[in-house]
Amino acid sequence: MAGSAVTLKRFTRLKRWNAGGAMMLALLPCFAHAHLVNTGLGPVYDGITHLFITPEDLLTVITLALYCGLSGASASRLGMFAFPVAWCIGGLIGLTTTIDSSSLPIAAISFVLLGVLVAADVVIPKRHLVIVIAFVGFVHGVFNGQALQAGPAAAGLVGTIGALFVLMTLVSASVVALKSAWTRIAVRVLGSWVSASGILLFGWYLKTAI
């Protein structure tokens, strides 16, 4: 009886994980470039809102924060400061340039790269981590800056950077605080869902490109 109860409990937990993964994959059609929203509270708040209604940026930030959290307090502090700085540099360039981002699978690449790092819980040297953080932050910053051109512009970028810093801090600190093995496994499962989403996004990109 005890063995059956344990098996049933594990099956129920697996069903929940699979349901969560299916829900994330069902949201794939929503990963499109979000339009700017006028909150009526000013350009800074418009920039903050734009981050939270743009899934390809929001999920990238959260996944990177999860990885930094898994890598420890030192990596989390690095991500808290280096990522917003890289995003800001890219954003300033994006405010003055025009690139057709729809022809580039930016979200798919970010999801696969960061999702695999979280799922595998790979510990990479700090110098390599800085490169990953700078690359992801800069690229997403460029396209975020382009999206803000027609609206809040530089003031909106300030709001986005502030939101990035807060989000990176809260998420990475929450993961660093995890002590139980099963909680870290749960975070890694989230990473596998993100990477799976990235693979499907990449497949959708190839389908539309052909």
Side-chain angles (χ1 to χ4, degrees):
M1 290 295 292
S4 299
V6 171
T7 302
L8 180 60
K9 188 174 182 181
R10 288 179 178 174
F11 177 74
T12 303
R13 184 180 300 173
L14 183 60
K15 275 185 71 176
R16 289 175 181 171
W17 286 0
N18 289 338
M23 186 178 298
M24 179 174 286
L25 297 181
L27 292 174
L28 281 173
C30 298
F31 290 134
H33 295 282
H35 296 287
L36 288 173
V37 174
N38 187 349
T39 62
L41 299 174
V44 174
Y45 286 96
D46 290 346
I48 295 173
T49 303
H50 181 68
L51 173 64
F52 285 95
I53 65 170
T54 309
E56 59 265 38
D57 286 341
L58 181 61
L59 190 55
T60 296
V61 175
I62 292 175
T63 309
L64 180 60
L66 291 176
Y67 178 69
C68 288
L70 286 176
S71 300
S74 178
S76 296
R77 286 191 291 270
L78 180 62
M80 283 165 47
F81 295 101
F83 189 61
V85 168
W87 190 295
C88 182
I89 295 172
L92 291 174
I93 294 175
L95 287 173
T96 59
T97 59
T98 302
I99 302 174
D100 183 12
S101 60
S102 62
S103 63
L104 301 171
I106 301 300
I109 294 173
S110 297
F111 289 177
V112 172
L113 171 64
L114 299 178
V116 167
L117 287 176
V118 173
D121 195 11
V122 178
V123 179
I124 61 178
K126 268 192 177 181
R127 61 181 181 277
H128 295 156
L129 179 58
V130 169
I131 294 173
V132 172
I133 292 173
F135 173 76
V136 174
F138 177 80
V139 172
H140 281 265
V142 168
F143 293 116
N144 178 248
Q146 287 188 179
L148 296 175
Q149 281 183 15
L157 182 61
V158 171
T160 300
I161 298 303
L164 280 177
F165 178 78
V166 173
L167 194 58
M168 284 289 296
T169 302
L170 293 177
V171 175
S172 61
S174 298
V175 177
V176 169
L178 299 177
K179 301 302 179 183
S180 302
W182 73 268
T183 55
R184 292 180 63 88
I185 292 175
V187 172
R188 295 174 63 183
V189 170
L190 290 176
S192 69
W193 294 345
V194 173
S195 62
S197 299
I199 293 172
L200 290 181
L201 268 180
F202 195 75
W204 177 78
Y205 164 78
L206 291 178
K207 181 179 179 180
T208 56
I210 296 177

